[in-house]
Amino acid sequence: MRDYRRRHEATWQQRVDALGKGHYRRYEPTAARVGKGAQRLLDRYGGDLRRLRDEAGRDPDELRRALRRIPQFGPVGVDICLREVQSVWPEVGPLLDGKAIDGARGLGLPQQPEALAELVPREAHAAFAAALVRAALDRRGVDEVAEARG
C-alpha cells in the first residue's frame, strides 16, 4: 500500500492488518480514515502529491497546512511525509523532527537539526532521518544509522 490508489482500493481489513504490522495503536478506526484520506488525494490530486506541492507554492508551511487538511494526516503524519520527501523536495529539508532527534540523542549524536544535517550529504537527509527514527524506536537501528552516515 505504498501509494494512495492502493490504499483506497484496499479493503478495510487489509488496512487494519497493515496498520497492525506497523504497530499502530487504535488501528481499526484509523483504517477507515486512511481510506478517506486516500480517496481525497485521488479526487483532488490524482494521487500525485506533486500537485499538492505545486498548489502549496512549494512553501513548507503551506505544504504542512495542505497535508493537515487530508483526513488522517495529523502532525505526526505530516512530519513523516515531509521527512520522507525531503531528498526530492529540497524546500522542506533538512527536516529532522522530534523522533529523529530522540534517535540522535540515544546514539550520542548532536541534537540540533542543523548539526545533524551537516553529518550527511543533502541527498541522504531522508534516509538519515528515517534511520534516526528507527534508532529511536529500536536499538537495532544503530547499525542503520552508522551505514547511512557512510
Side-chain angles (χ1 to χ4, degrees):
M1 284 188 254
R2 293 183 182 256
D3 67 53
Y4 294 101
R5 189 169 317 285
R6 288 183 183 145
R7 285 183 203 144
H8 172 68
E9 292 171 354
T11 67
W12 177 83
Q13 188 61 54
Q14 288 170 321
R15 287 188 215 116
V16 166
D17 293 346
L19 290 164
K21 287 178 186 176
H23 306 289
Y24 279 81
R25 294 188 180 103
R26 299 180 45 219
Y27 48 81
E28 290 168 345
T30 300
R33 290 191 303 268
V34 165
K36 288 178 185 173
Q39 182 63 54
R40 179 177 176 135
L41 284 169
L42 288 169
D43 291 346
R44 183 154 183 173
Y45 304 107
D48 188 344
L49 286 178
R50 293 173 299 185
R51 292 180 182 170
L52 179 143
R53 176 190 186 206
D54 291 341
E55 185 178 284
R58 298 183 181 213
D59 176 83
D61 293 330
E62 186 53 37
L63 277 167
R64 283 183 175 285
R65 284 189 287 277
L67 287 167
R68 286 296 308 274
R69 289 190 289 267
I70 298 168
Q72 198 49 37
F73 261 85
V76 173
V78 169
D79 282 347
I80 291 168
C81 179
L82 295 178
R83 186 175 63 222
E84 294 297 319
V85 300
Q86 67 182 312
S87 290
V88 293
W89 293 3
E91 67 272 14
V92 301
L95 181 65
L96 295 149
D97 59 12
K99 192 56 78 173
I101 299 298
D102 289 346
R105 182 179 304 110
L107 294 164
L109 294 172
Q111 293 166 45
Q112 301 75 27
E114 300 80 16
L116 282 169
E118 291 176 6
L119 296 176
V120 297
R122 189 189 73 70
E123 61 273 6
H125 284 166
F128 185 51
L132 288 170
V133 169
R134 285 191 295 277
L137 299 173
D138 184 342
R139 288 297 298 177
R140 291 176 288 184
V142 173
D143 294 337
E144 292 180 51
V145 170
E147 183 177 316
R149 285 181 72 184

